[in-house]
Amino acid sequence: MGSHFPGRGTLIEETFLRGVTAGRIEERASLVLRLLEKRHIPTPASIRERISSCHDPVTLLHWVDEALTVSSAEDLFDRFPEGLKSES
């Protein structure tokens, strides 16, 4: 990911970019939980923790998509496209 951050290529820029990535990951996890909540799908604490502790942006994006159609929170983890590894 390129940027025009002052001091490009420095430790400061790398730290900044890690923070941006962490923020995006947190937003995706929150979105999964919000979609389940808005669809009135019960989400046990263990599943909330699994979603919140996931740090893989690809898995989280998949869960966002699944949260739109699943009938239970457990169903989020049932189907993974080929090449996508489930985050435990």
Side-chain angles (χ1 to χ4, degrees):
M1 174 173 162
S3 78
H4 298 289
F5 192 85
R8 192 175 326 174
T10 64
L11 181 59
I12 294 170
E13 180 192 29
E14 290 175 20
T15 303
F16 171 78
L17 293 175
R18 275 195 301 272
V20 168
T21 300
R24 288 182 181 153
I25 286 171
E26 187 176 316
E27 286 176 4
R28 284 184 184 176
S30 294
L31 181 57
V32 172
L33 295 170
R34 182 172 172 81
L35 286 169
L36 294 172
E37 177 186 334
K38 292 297 182 182
R39 294 189 60 228
H40 305 286
I41 295 176
T43 310
S46 61
I47 290 180
R48 294 181 70 78
E49 176 60 30
R50 181 173 178 183
I51 293 167
S52 297
S53 65
C54 179
H55 299 293
D56 178 31
V58 174
T59 298
L60 286 165
L61 187 58
H62 172 71
W63 289 345
V64 167
D65 293 341
E66 290 296 307
L68 295 168
T69 60
V70 295
S71 55
S72 74
E74 291 82 5
D75 291 345
L76 282 175
F77 314 118
D78 286 347
R79 298 179 305 219
F80 281 87
E82 190 174 321
L84 182 62
K85 182 178 145 187
S86 172
E87 183 78 17
S88 299

